[in-house]
């Protein structure tokens, strides 16, 4: 099967190729070229991008749910619904993200996601791909718990971590841990040896404690600034550590609610285009109206798009990654190709899948989206299979 996408402004990690064409063969990117198309008859399908942008599909590493569903439901139906909503917003792949909850609920969710991935779900349907699991909790600091239910927060338990990895069928890609906790060092060492990304999250770590965790294997910071000890000029804390250490990439929720534009601008200046990972941290209210929802067994009230617990604590977001990319361009003045990189190649690198995902480069999976100046997605492709977005 050969497909041609013509008349596109193609966003690569390095530039935007104006008025160019892209060829797909057997689900892979086969060629990128400009000028005259000489072998039109050799293509089975031709798509006219009409001068819009052709971008790698976005990869949302950290999201709990959308459109009334949550990964903690532990059902195929929830994951299918989430995948259908994701693709409409340009997210061609995601990590199903769990939450601090009763241990049995976490086990059930992890087992369900692992089985869903291994089954391949309904491969004939064009929808977002679940690349793995992001384990957010329960190994967190009580002081920086945020919207994580306090009754289930605990120190890292290596035996439990091993059990969850087995239940997931080795599909856990990211584990968030507060590095200052008892048992954290041993857990970080083990996870690193297993090739699993470790993220410093919901942590009250000092600068030195955070640096020790980074030396042991932490390479990511969970939703930067949020759920972290605040920066001080005398104790920079975990924020200072992750911002200044080039070994660490920082997740960022660019919704205009979780972070001030100045804080986002500072992070971009510190980390550069390669060190920021745009995430949604979306919960089940995403794509729905304001109202009362649930996250981690707790009531969440969404008003004007902001999701909060009854006490006012932020509880995830209602953001989508296409909107996050738009906000990075228009709120933080990041060039479009760099903002796209933060939502595609950087997350793919973070979980070691950039050899086949995350950018428009010859030989990679044809996971692509077409969007306009407002990042409104009109078409999505998963390994070359096309879905019209209405």
């Amino acid at each position: 099967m050969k497909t041609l996408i013509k008349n596109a402004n193609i966003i690569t990690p390095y530039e935007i190729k104006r008025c160019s064409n892209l060829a797909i063969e057997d689900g892979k990117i086969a060629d990128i070229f400009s000028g005259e198309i000489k072998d039109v008859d050799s293509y089975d399908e031709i798509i006219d991008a009409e001068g819009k942008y052709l971008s790698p599909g976005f990869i949302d590493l950290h999201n709990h749910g959308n459109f009334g569903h949550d990964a903690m439901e532990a059902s195929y139906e929830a994951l299918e619904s989430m995948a259908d909503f994701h693709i409409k917003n340009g997210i061609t792949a995601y990590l199903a993200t769990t939450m601090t909850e009763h241990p049995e609920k976490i086990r059930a969710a992890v087992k369900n996601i692992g089985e869903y991935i291994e089954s391949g779900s309904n491969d004939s349907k064009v929808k977002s791909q679940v690349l793995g699991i992001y384990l957010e909790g329960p190994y967190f600091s009580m002081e920086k718990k945020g919207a994580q239910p306090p009754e289930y927060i605990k120190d890292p338990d290596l035996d439990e971590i091993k059990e969850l990895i087995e239940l997931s069928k080795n599909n856990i890609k990211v584990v968030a841990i507060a590095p200052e906790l008892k048992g954290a060092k041993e857990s970080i060492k083990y996870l690193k040896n297993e090739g699993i990304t470790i993220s410093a999250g919901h942590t009250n770590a000092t600068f030195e404690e955070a640096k020790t965790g980074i030396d042991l294997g932490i390479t990511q910071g969970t939703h930067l600034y949020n759920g972290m000890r605040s920066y001080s000029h005398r104790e920079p804390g975990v924020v200072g550590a992750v911002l200044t250490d080039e070994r660490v990439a920082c997740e960022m929720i660019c919704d205009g609610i979780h972070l001030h534009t100045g804080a986002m601008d500072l992070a971009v200046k510190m980390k550069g285009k390669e060190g920021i990972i745009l995430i949604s941290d979306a919960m089940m209210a995403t794509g729905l109206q304001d109202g009362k929802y649930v996250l981690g067994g707790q009531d969440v009230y969404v008003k004007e798009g902001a999701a909060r617990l009854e006490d006012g604590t932020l509880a995830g977001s209602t953001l989508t990654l296409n909107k996050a990319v738009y906000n990075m361009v228009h709120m933080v003045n990041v060039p479009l190709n760099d903002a796209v990189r933060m939502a595609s190649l950087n997350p793919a690198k973070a979980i070691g899948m950039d050899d086949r995902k995350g950018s428009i480069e010859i030989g990679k999976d044809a996971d692509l989206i077409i969007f306009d100046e407002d990042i409104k997605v009109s078409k999505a492709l998963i390994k070359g299979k096309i879905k019209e977005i209405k």
Side-chain angles (χ1 to χ4, degrees), residues 53 95 115 144-145 186 193 268 310 370 380:
Y53 292 100
L95 295 187
E115 290 175 350
K144 296 297 176 183
K145 63 181 175 58
E186 294 76 14
N193 287 336
V268 171
E310 192 170 13
I370 296 173

Side-chain angles (χ1 to χ4, degrees), residues 233-281:
H233 60 292
R234 291 195 177 91
E235 172 45 72
V238 63
V239 171
V242 299
L243 280 177
T244 57
D245 198 307
E246 64 184 37
R247 293 172 290 182
V248 181
C250 294
E251 302 173 10
M252 202 157 70
I253 308 170
C254 187
D255 62 354
I257 297 168
H258 281 77
L259 300 173
H260 189 282
T261 53
M264 291 189 282
D265 187 40
L266 172 63
V268 171
K269 284 182 167 63
M270 291 296 298
K271 302 307 296 184
K273 64 183 180 182
E274 297 180 1
I276 298 292
I277 299 170
L278 293 181
I279 63 163
S280 69
D281 197 16

Side-chain angles (χ1 to χ4, degrees), residues 12-315:
T12 78
Y14 318 105
E15 61 183 330
I16 299 178
K17 294 180 176 291
R18 304 283 176 179
C19 301
S20 295
N21 313 296
L22 182 141
I24 300 167
E25 193 163 353
D26 298 327
K28 303 283 186 181
I29 298 168
D31 197 9
I32 305 165
F33 62 98
S34 58
E36 184 183 354
I37 303 167
K38 297 178 180 179
D39 52 349
V40 174
D41 293 339
S42 69
Y43 293 99
D44 301 292
E45 187 164 19
I46 297 176
I47 301 168
D48 188 351
E50 300 174 334
K52 293 180 181 178
Y53 292 100
L54 178 64
S55 163
F58 303 139
I59 301 173
D60 196 350
L61 290 193
H62 185 160
N63 64 103
H64 297 276
N66 58 50
F67 215 63
H69 288 285
D70 189 297
M72 290 297 289
E73 289 176 37
S75 73
Y76 273 40
E77 293 75 19
L79 297 174
E80 285 279 285
S81 175
M82 289 164 61
D84 285 339
F85 181 81
H86 275 317
I87 197 76
K88 294 174 184 176
N89 295 283
I91 298 158
T92 54
Y94 70 104
L95 295 187
T97 304
T98 61
M99 180 88 178
T100 298
E101 256 279 19
H102 188 285
E104 285 304 319
K105 289 191 175 181
I106 295 175
R107 290 188 187 99
V110 164
K111 184 173 183 289
N112 176 68
I113 299 163
E115 290 175 350
Y116 178 89
I117 294 168
E118 294 301 305
S119 74
S121 183
N122 179 4
D123 286 333
S124 65
K125 188 177 182 182
V126 181
K127 61 186 182 304
S128 185
Q129 307 154 87
V130 182
L131 299 181
I133 298 166
Y134 189 125
L135 196 69
E136 189 186 15
Y139 314 123
F140 291 150
S141 155
M142 193 64 76
E143 295 89 346
K144 296 297 176 183
K145 63 181 175 58
Q148 304 281 331
E151 61 268 34
Y152 300 117
I153 287 175
K154 59 184 175 181
D155 291 337
D157 181 332
L158 189 52
D159 288 336
E160 184 177 63
I161 289 170
K162 290 178 180 178
E163 179 191 2
L164 291 172
I165 293 170
E166 185 177 351
L167 279 172
S168 78
K169 300 184 183 297
N170 295 310
N171 281 299
I172 292 178
K173 299 295 183 186
V174 181
V175 176
I177 287 180
E180 73 274 18
L181 299 179
K182 181 182 178 182
K185 292 179 182 179
E186 294 76 14
S187 298
I188 292 168
K189 288 178 184 177
Y190 177 80
L191 290 165
K192 182 183 179 183
N193 287 336
E194 291 296 305
I196 295 171
T197 299
I198 310 108
S199 189
H202 291 277
T203 167
N204 200 33
T206 64
F207 183 85
E208 291 304 322
E209 288 169 333
K211 289 290 281 187
T212 297
I214 294 167
D215 288 339
L216 291 171
I218 287 173
T219 57
Q220 199 162 302
T222 298
H223 42 51
L224 179 66
Y225 302 114
N226 291 279
M228 291 183 172
R229 175 192 284 257
S230 298
Y231 176 89
S232 164
H233 60 292
R234 291 195 177 91
E235 172 45 72
V238 63
V239 171
V242 299
L243 280 177
T244 57
D245 198 307
E246 64 184 37
R247 293 172 290 182
V248 181
C250 294
E251 302 173 10
M252 202 157 70
I253 308 170
C254 187
D255 62 354
I257 297 168
H258 281 77
L259 300 173
H260 189 282
T261 53
M264 291 189 282
D265 187 40
L266 172 63
V268 171
K269 284 182 167 63
M270 291 296 298
K271 302 307 296 184
K273 64 183 180 182
E274 297 180 1
I276 298 292
I277 299 170
L278 293 181
I279 63 163
S280 69
D281 197 16
M283 49 85 69
M284 65 163 60
T286 305
L288 300 176
Q289 295 179 341
D290 287 359
K292 182 180 175 181
Y293 297 91
V294 177
L295 181 67
Q298 304 167 106
D299 290 339
V300 176
Y301 301 87
V302 178
K303 184 177 180 180
E304 296 179 355
R308 299 180 186 273
L309 300 181
E310 192 170 13
D311 65 3
T313 301
L314 283 168

